[in-house]
Amino acid sequence: MHRRRRTALALTAATLLAAPLLTACGSEAHPGAAAVVGGERIDVATLQAEAADVRTAQQGAERSDELVSKSGQLNRVKLSGLIFGRVLDRASKDAGVSVSRKEIQQIRSVAAEQSGGEEGVRTLMLEQRWVAPGQIEASLRQEVQLQKLARALGADLQSPTGVQAVGQALTGASKALHIDVNPRYGSWDDQKVQLSTYKAPWISQVTPVQGQDPEAGA
């Protein structure tokens, strides 16, 4: 995608390694969980499947060795993103924001036009976001969701104050969910809305599709 504004989007994080039982405070009751968010588990098996899908796609791509070597943090990227998705859902619900399938289809169609078709979208998402083909729709949903959340809050994601307003909403949702992470993956930072061991803020390298109005077709 070219000539697009910068916006907020969380990258995601996961693990290919088998995880031990949670041993952080209050976590012993959740064997096999990589994290517990709002009382709901994110199982290690879910993370393994997410990361394995990305690795399979990378290995079948051109420059596969380069893609694999550059994604050494894939495990944490997928886990951080799975947790972030639940935080974003909570913040969106609190703000009365929802995303329709039509909106996701619209942003995907425009993305395809700007990146040379569906194959271009798949390549971009895999190389820049470490997103497998089957994960694209969920990633685009978050992109629309963030834009609509900002709009609901009267915030402009292109301004520092707008970013701060959205960040505060996400932090509030994060705290309300009482996120408990398996210490193998680090701990969750409510202020930064990411894993403490993953140094990539939710304001990331990704930009939205030019001309896409997240309110269109709502």
Side-chain angles (χ1 to χ4, degrees):
M1 307 176 195
H2 303 291
R3 302 183 305 277
R4 301 168 299 166
R5 298 177 306 165
R6 297 189 64 83
T7 192
L9 183 71
L11 291 176
T12 54
T15 180
L16 291 173
L17 302 175
L21 308 187
L22 285 172
T23 57
C25 179
S27 298
E28 292 85 346
H30 307 291
V36 179
V37 182
E40 297 183 357
R41 296 159 53 96
I42 296 177
D43 290 329
V44 171
T46 299
L47 302 183
Q48 290 175 331
E50 287 268 322
D53 285 347
V54 174
R55 286 292 185 229
T56 297
Q58 288 176 331
Q59 290 165 359
E62 294 183 11
R63 303 184 295 109
S64 60
D65 290 344
E66 179 183 348
L67 292 178
V68 171
S69 67
K70 286 184 176 180
S71 56
Q73 287 197 76
L74 177 62
N75 301 341
R76 293 187 175 91
V77 170
K78 301 307 284 185
L79 178 55
S80 192
L82 286 172
I83 298 172
F84 178 86
R86 298 191 183 191
V87 173
L88 179 57
D89 284 344
R90 173 62 181 264
S92 297
K93 181 179 179 180
D94 291 345
V97 168
S98 62
V99 175
S100 69
R101 182 163 181 78
K102 182 177 180 181
E103 290 172 304
I104 299 172
Q105 292 173 334
Q106 287 175 332
I107 196 173
R108 186 161 186 165
S109 294
V110 176
E113 290 176 2
Q114 295 183 349
S115 56
E118 277 293 321
E119 182 62 31
V121 173
R122 289 192 290 270
T123 298
L124 179 85
M125 297 292 278
L126 181 64
E127 293 183 354
Q128 295 188 9
R129 303 189 191 183
W130 305 354
V131 170
Q135 300 165 2
I136 291 175
E137 186 165 310
S139 181
L140 292 178
R141 179 179 180 274
Q142 286 191 357
E143 184 167 334
V144 176
Q145 203 173 6
L146 272 168
Q147 294 176 49
K148 293 188 72 174
L149 174 61
R151 186 166 298 189
L153 296 172
D156 180 3
L157 288 173
Q158 307 309 309
S159 73
T161 55
V163 169
Q164 183 178 27
V166 175
Q168 288 174 344
L170 291 170
T171 290
S174 183
K175 289 180 178 180
L177 290 172
H178 304 290
I179 298 166
D180 187 10
V181 175
N182 186 314
R184 167 169 292 211
Y185 311 115
S187 59
W188 184 256
D189 188 324
D190 289 322
Q191 295 299 322
K192 295 181 179 179
V193 200
Q194 66 180 24
L195 282 177
S196 61
T197 50
Y198 173 52
K199 297 181 180 179
W202 60 272
I203 300 296
S204 72
Q205 305 96 334
V206 189
T207 57
V209 181
Q210 184 180 30
Q212 172 64 25
D213 182 356
E215 292 292 330

